[in-house]
Amino acid sequence: MNTGSDEPGEVAVVPDEAETGEGPADDGLGSRAPEFVKQRRALHLSWQVGVFVIGLAVVAAGIVMLPLPGPGWVVIFGGMAIWATEFVWAQLVLRRTKRKVTEAAQKALDPKVRRRNITLTVIGLVIIGVLAGIYLWKFGVVAPWRIKDQ
């Protein structure tokens, strides 16, 4: 039995919720299957396989949508949410992703970052405008595949 200690005779003690002021020790991680499913090992294993297969199908559809028209990333995260109903690793991945997205949103709202992004966007648009002007000056309004070697 692992007590969480390397020293003989020591026992790891987990503080109560009231002492730490935090939520339950498991932080809401774990299976969200109905209780009658959790009570039967074979049924719970079948449940987990079904959740995994459905989540895998949704994630695969999202991956297919990345190069094709469709909301690929949204579907991938939907598949991860399906997995997170049953698997702790998916719950942890979603928590980390939510934290990173929140941090990125806060960073994007920073005035310095906004000014930098606006400046880079304007510079990019100016470069695209100059390149389009050079193209039109040299070739006129002609589709690129109809340009003859000169």
Side-chain angles (χ1 to χ4, degrees):
M1 184 167 111
N2 184 7
T3 61
S5 172
D6 292 334
E7 299 296 324
E10 288 186 17
V11 177
V13 178
V14 178
D16 291 337
E17 293 177 34
E19 292 177 16
T20 61
E22 298 176 7
D26 66 346
D27 269 345
L29 296 176
S31 176
R32 293 188 177 97
E35 287 303 319
F36 74 91
V37 171
K38 290 181 189 178
Q39 290 173 353
R40 292 166 184 83
R41 176 91 174 125
L43 186 57
H44 193 229
L45 185 60
S46 300
W47 180 275
Q48 286 181 325
V49 168
V51 168
F52 183 80
V53 168
I54 291 170
L56 183 64
V58 173
V59 168
I63 290 171
V64 168
M65 286 183 201
L66 288 175
L68 299 175
W73 286 110
V74 174
V75 175
I76 289 172
F77 288 124
M80 289 295 297
I82 291 171
W83 279 338
T85 63
E86 198 56 37
F87 303 107
V88 173
W89 60 268
Q91 293 168 0
L92 295 174
V93 167
L94 281 180
R95 281 186 183 180
R96 182 175 185 273
T97 303
K98 287 178 185 177
R99 187 175 61 247
K100 292 293 184 182
V101 166
T102 303
E103 289 172 6
Q106 291 300 321
K107 187 176 179 182
L109 295 175
D110 181 33
K112 283 184 176 181
V113 174
R114 282 185 58 120
R115 277 194 301 274
R116 184 197 66 203
N117 289 346
I118 290 172
T119 303
L120 290 174
T121 301
V122 168
I123 290 170
L125 290 174
V126 167
I127 290 171
I128 289 171
V130 168
L131 292 175
I134 291 171
Y135 176 84
L136 290 174
W137 173 69
K138 185 166 182 168
F139 301 109
V141 184
V142 178
W145 53 86
R146 293 191 180 173
I147 296 175
K148 296 179 179 143
D149 293 334
Q150 296 185 8

